[in-house]
Amino acid sequence: MLFKDFLWWLLKENRLVNFLYRECFVYLFPVNKQPVSADAGIIDKSSLLSSAGGGKSTRLPAIKGYSSGTTNQPLTVYRSIKSVLLEEYIIKSFYKSIAVPLRPRIAVLRGEQIKVNTDGDGIYWRQQFFSKRLLMSSYHISQSSFRAYLAALETYKPDVIMAYPSAITLLAKFAKGISWQARWKLSAVFTSSESFSKENQQLVREVFGNVFDHYGQAERVAALQQCRQQHYHVREDYSQVEFIEDEHGIRIVGSNLHNKAMVLTRYDTKDYIKGLSLDIACSCGNPAPYVEQILGRDDDYIILPDGSHIGRLDVAFKGITGLVECQLEQRALDSIIVRMVPEKAQDIHVLKAGIADNLRAYLGENVTLVFQVSDEIPRTAAGKFQSVIRSKDIDSA
């Protein structure tokens, strides 16, 4: 672990490499305006999984990576050295645009499972020796532990918090309940890897200040980053991005430009967006196309008995008070498991009734709601929160 931290500091987190990523690497990744031919067919994860070699080029050395497998289809991906450099450049240049210090203090709240707390000491973080990053577990934030997390942040005083949206939203919700705010000079909270609703973003801003979301994926075919106007701009120096409309909305299709170890052309991310602006200038000054919101994958849908697909169900929890978190799981067409974490001293019957009324407006009366009350909702092995889980058996029913 110490050696890995040393390599991280050496290759990613010292002042010299940060300067190179921010100021010099722009010349390695020029914007490519040559459009991908529409004659090329669209591919997706399933086609990669079924192909020999999984899309890997055998002619170049490659660094192996993995998707998190939240869709029950884990994928091995391969990245060239240039692709690895590109990923760091995209993040470090993003930092520069928000005036993050050249050598920032970073707290990380992204799937780090620091320890299993069996001795009751309440410590769920550790500081790296070389990189100085504060790694914080995203698995243990709860009504009994959140004050310790906030105290650790106050002591460390990071310039940047890198977090999963679900983790920082949960911490912000608890913090707001005690009127806590970040009172040191925090440049920004940077989030990625999960859908992040506008309502939750606003909650995090109220507690932590600036929040900027980054959209990407393990296949690295598209990157969109939020500006100060909260628009997600396409990073045109990263890849070529198309927006394809289907019966569910507008989805992101991307072609990588700098990863010859695994060339992906017109790769369907199956992620959907809202509010596409291709030729309307953003007041932030960035001329790149932008979208208003990343909605998430088509796997976030509930399928009704009549075949209807109902997505974006986070709106069903608007106006519900006393709810910490909620997860929906569909194992059958006619029933939904509703897992909920209530706030302390909350009337469970009132909370269930409010959630049921909201869900009925979207799901109708032919779906049975089965409520399960718990102290926490488990994350995936990668530390991510899934708001909707749908059994693959439903798709073939």
Side-chain angles (χ1 to χ4, degrees), residues 178 323 354:
I178 61 171
L323 181 67

Side-chain angles (χ1 to χ4, degrees), residues 45-46 49 67-75 219 267 269-271 297-300 380 384 386 388-392 395:
K45 180 182 284 189
S46 297
L49 290 169
S67 69
S68 63
T70 56
T71 62
N72 297 322
Q73 287 184 298
L75 175 70
E219 297 87 343
Y267 182 84
T269 67
K270 298 188 182 296
D271 286 320
R297 299 184 63 85
D298 62 351
D299 300 83
D300 294 335
T380 68
K384 297 181 182 181
Q386 291 179 272
V388 176
I389 301 173
R390 189 181 74 242
S391 169
K392 291 300 177 184
D395 297 331

Side-chain angles (χ1 to χ4, degrees), residues 207-254:
V207 174
F208 292 99
N210 290 327
V211 178
F212 298 97
D213 194 34
H214 167 91
Y215 165 79
Q217 61 294 124
E219 297 87 343
R220 296 184 174 179
V221 297
L224 286 78
Q225 294 173 331
Q226 257 186 335
C227 68
R228 292 187 182 276
Q229 306 305 317
Q230 301 172 32
H231 296 150
Y232 289 83
H233 288 267
V234 176
R235 287 295 300 253
E236 295 180 301
D237 50 355
Y238 186 86
S239 65
Q240 291 186 22
V241 175
E242 302 171 74
F243 297 98
I244 307 295
E245 189 167 3
D246 64 19
E247 67 271 23
H248 303 308
I250 302 173
R251 68 187 194 276
I252 300 170
V253 173

Side-chain angles (χ1 to χ4, degrees), residues 56 72 153 233 281 299 313 321 397:
K56 180 184 183 295
N72 297 322
L153 288 173
H233 288 267
D299 300 83
L313 280 169
T321 58

